[in-house]
């Protein structure tokens, strides 16, 4: 039997003191960030097969967390399989149409813009090739049917290329080495390490962290770190991180829901090398005939080419009257509860979910995606995935978190 510290349970209070500030802030950030990670981006290949349980020296959870923190792998290359199974409703192609329209040339954008392209990772199974050589050289490629989408960071330049449309998006990196608007800081988590970092932010006193045996991932011996909420009421069942025994690099990340069934997020290397990638890996020259869009020309996000005034004239009356109204609500955001049971709440300044004549077709469509609920707070609509639940009351208040529907209703009732 593979040795492991089955009786060792470590919380953030026992881990590195200098990280305590990050964890306190993360009591809200983790549920919402992991939620965003899962909901707005990636998932994973149905559990990558482990080829055996290697016999490794015994290690405690605290030692393994420290091993991850001290890991300083600067060079690697490999293939990552990622997919998500959030249980999102079928929008009949609406979501993809909106995204492609926002990035279309007619709308002033580029299909190569990472802010639009990488939203495709929100569902399904995907294969990525990744490579890194220090802080100034990284490459991520999304492999598609007969096409490839790549982001290349090399020094001051950040290039994104969509082979399907033969379009290029060009930006620059900040002095810190991180890509700016079109680059690395706008990429969703794409490797097990990205996911693991988010999960470990949640390791406060409401979290159980143990070592749960060993495994082999992508031909590498690894320890399995098990992260579980101590509280009931969270939609998160458990998170398992396979950590490379030699380098401390997370090789695989799996998030399973409390409701059971397949993983919501499962990302792992199928092949990995810690050798220096060839220098040519990070070379990029726009192909002949490619349309090149400079970052400054594309504007920020989807604002370019989108007539807000026209949209507002056709918006249901029950929505916030302006971005300023919504901004006030976000500025007033607060957190209820702690740890994995944290619930973010704010007031939209609107009148809840569109319905009846005020909402028209949009109101009917939106309501078809949610469940009506009532309580001391009045009534509202709950929108659910396998991981995230959000309650929007009829008077425009929002409650969202990695918690059950009942927990949201109780939070709304307590707010009255």
């Amino acid at each position: 039997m593979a040795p492991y510290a089955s009786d060792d349970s470590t919380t953030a209070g026992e881990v590195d003191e200098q990280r305590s500030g990050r964890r306190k802030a993360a009591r809200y950030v983790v549920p919402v960030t992991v939620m965003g990670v899962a909901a707005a981006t990636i998932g994973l290949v149905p559990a990558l097969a482990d080829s055996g349980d290697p016999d490794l020296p015994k290690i405690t959870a605290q030692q393994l967390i420290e091993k991850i923190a001290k890991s300083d792998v600067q060079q690697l290359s490999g293939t990552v399989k990622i997919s998500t199974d959030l249980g999102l409703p079928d929008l009949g192609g609406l979501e993809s149409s909106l995204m492609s329209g926002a990035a279309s040339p007619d709308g002033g954008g580029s299909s190569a813009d990472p802010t639009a392209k990488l939203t495709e990772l929100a569902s399904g199974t995907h294969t990525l090739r990744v490579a890194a050589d220090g802080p100034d050289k990284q490459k991520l490629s999304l492999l598609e049917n007969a096409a490839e989408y790549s982001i290349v960071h090399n020094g001051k330049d950040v290039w994104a290329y969509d082979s399907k449309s033969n379009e290029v998006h060009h930006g620059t990196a900040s002095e810190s080495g991180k890509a700016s608007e079109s680059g690395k800081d706008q990429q969703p988590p794409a490797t097990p390490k990205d996911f693991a970092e988010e999960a470990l932010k949640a390791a406060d006193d409401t979290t159980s962290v143990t070592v749960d045996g060993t495994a082999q991932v992508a031909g590498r011996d690894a320890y399995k770190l098990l992260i579980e909420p101590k509280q009931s009421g969270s939609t998160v069942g458990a998170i398992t991180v396979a950590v490379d025994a030699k380098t401390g690099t997370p090789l695989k990340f799996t998030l399973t829901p409390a409701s059971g069934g397949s993983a919501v997020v499962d990302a792992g290397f199928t092949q990995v090398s810690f050798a220096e990638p060839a220098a040519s890996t990070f070379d990029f020259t726009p192909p002949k005939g490619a349309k090149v869009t400079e970052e400054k020309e594309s504007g920020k996000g989807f604002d370019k080419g989108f007539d807000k005034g026209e949209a507002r004239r056709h918006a249901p009356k029950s929505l916030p009257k302006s971005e300023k109204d919504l901004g006030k609500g976000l500025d007033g955001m607060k957190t209820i509860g702690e740890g994995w049971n944290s619930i973010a709440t704010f007031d939209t300044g609107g009148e809840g979910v569109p319905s009846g004549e005020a909402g028209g077709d949009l109101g009917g469509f939106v309501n078809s995606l949610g469940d009506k609920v009532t309580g001391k707070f009045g009534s509202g609509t709950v929108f659910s995935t396998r991981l995230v639940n959000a309650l929007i009351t009829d008077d425009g208040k929002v409650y969202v978190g990695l918690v059950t529907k009942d927990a949201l209703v109780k939070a709304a009732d307590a707010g009255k």
Side-chain angles (χ1 to χ4, degrees), residues 228-389:
E228 298 176 291
K230 290 181 178 179
Q231 308 155 300
S232 61
S234 174
T235 54
V236 175
I239 292 172
T240 302
V241 182
V243 183
D244 185 67
K246 184 175 181 179
T247 67
T249 302
L251 298 175
K252 182 181 176 184
F253 174 98
T254 304
L255 188 158
T256 55
S259 59
S262 63
V264 172
V265 179
D266 192 359
F269 281 98
T270 58
Q271 182 276 325
V272 65
S273 169
F274 295 103
E276 179 181 0
S280 58
T281 301
F282 309 101
D283 291 340
F284 182 82
T285 301
K288 185 177 181 180
K291 175 186 175 182
V292 179
T293 301
E294 294 293 333
E295 182 178 279
K296 62 182 179 180
E297 296 174 3
S298 64
K300 296 183 179 181
F302 305 117
D303 291 346
K304 186 72 174 178
F306 182 70
D307 186 342
K308 296 179 183 177
E310 181 69 15
R312 193 175 298 119
R313 284 193 290 275
H314 294 286
K317 295 180 181 179
S318 57
L319 294 178
K321 302 303 186 295
S322 68
E323 291 84 351
K324 186 177 181 181
D325 293 336
L326 180 58
K328 289 180 180 178
L330 295 177
D331 288 341
M333 183 182 291
K334 62 181 181 179
T335 304
I336 300 172
E338 62 177 351
W340 299 91
N341 285 5
S342 295
I343 297 172
T345 179
F346 61 94
D347 193 331
T348 65
E351 301 173 13
V353 177
S355 61
E357 294 182 2
D361 292 340
L362 175 62
F365 174 73
V366 171
N367 276 285
S368 70
L369 302 178
D371 296 323
K372 295 297 291 184
V373 293
T374 58
K376 294 178 182 178
F377 67 90
S379 60
T381 305
V382 173
F383 299 92
S384 301
T385 70
R386 297 177 67 212
L387 190 65
V388 184
N389 285 316

Side-chain angles (χ1 to χ4, degrees), residues 118-343:
L118 293 180
T119 58
E120 295 180 11
L121 297 176
S123 62
T125 299
H126 303 274
T127 300
L128 299 176
R129 280 204 302 255
V130 297
D133 187 3
D136 296 324
K137 293 182 179 181
Q138 297 98 31
K139 182 176 182 179
L140 181 152
S141 297
L142 170 62
L143 307 183
E144 303 172 311
N145 293 331
E148 180 175 324
Y149 175 80
S150 295
I151 298 175
V152 181
H153 172 208
N154 192 342
K156 294 182 178 180
D157 291 306
V158 180
W159 298 95
Y161 175 59
D162 185 356
S163 68
K164 184 181 295 185
S165 62
N166 199 28
E167 292 192 21
V168 175
H169 190 273
H170 178 232
T172 57
S174 65
E175 292 182 1
S176 65
K178 292 184 177 180
S180 63
E181 217 159 323
S182 65
K184 185 175 175 58
D185 61 347
Q186 288 204 3
Q187 295 178 30
T191 68
K193 182 179 181 180
D194 296 332
F195 287 108
E197 287 176 347
E198 295 298 334
L200 287 174
K201 290 177 186 177
D204 60 11
D205 292 336
T206 68
T207 309
S208 168
V209 185
T210 59
V211 178
D212 188 32
T214 64
Q216 271 209 341
V217 178
R220 306 278 303 188
D221 291 348
Y223 293 102
K224 294 192 295 184
L225 188 68
L226 180 64
I227 303 170
E228 298 176 291
K230 290 181 178 179
Q231 308 155 300
S232 61
S234 174
T235 54
V236 175
I239 292 172
T240 302
V241 182
V243 183
D244 185 67
K246 184 175 181 179
T247 67
T249 302
L251 298 175
K252 182 181 176 184
F253 174 98
T254 304
L255 188 158
T256 55
S259 59
S262 63
V264 172
V265 179
D266 192 359
F269 281 98
T270 58
Q271 182 276 325
V272 65
S273 169
F274 295 103
E276 179 181 0
S280 58
T281 301
F282 309 101
D283 291 340
F284 182 82
T285 301
K288 185 177 181 180
K291 175 186 175 182
V292 179
T293 301
E294 294 293 333
E295 182 178 279
K296 62 182 179 180
E297 296 174 3
S298 64
K300 296 183 179 181
F302 305 117
D303 291 346
K304 186 72 174 178
F306 182 70
D307 186 342
K308 296 179 183 177
E310 181 69 15
R312 193 175 298 119
R313 284 193 290 275
H314 294 286
K317 295 180 181 179
S318 57
L319 294 178
K321 302 303 186 295
S322 68
E323 291 84 351
K324 186 177 181 181
D325 293 336
L326 180 58
K328 289 180 180 178
L330 295 177
D331 288 341
M333 183 182 291
K334 62 181 181 179
T335 304
I336 300 172
E338 62 177 351
W340 299 91
N341 285 5
S342 295
I343 297 172

Side-chain angles (χ1 to χ4, degrees), residues 45-52 216-218 252:
V45 75
L48 302 175
D50 298 329
S51 57
Q216 271 209 341
V217 178
K252 182 181 176 184

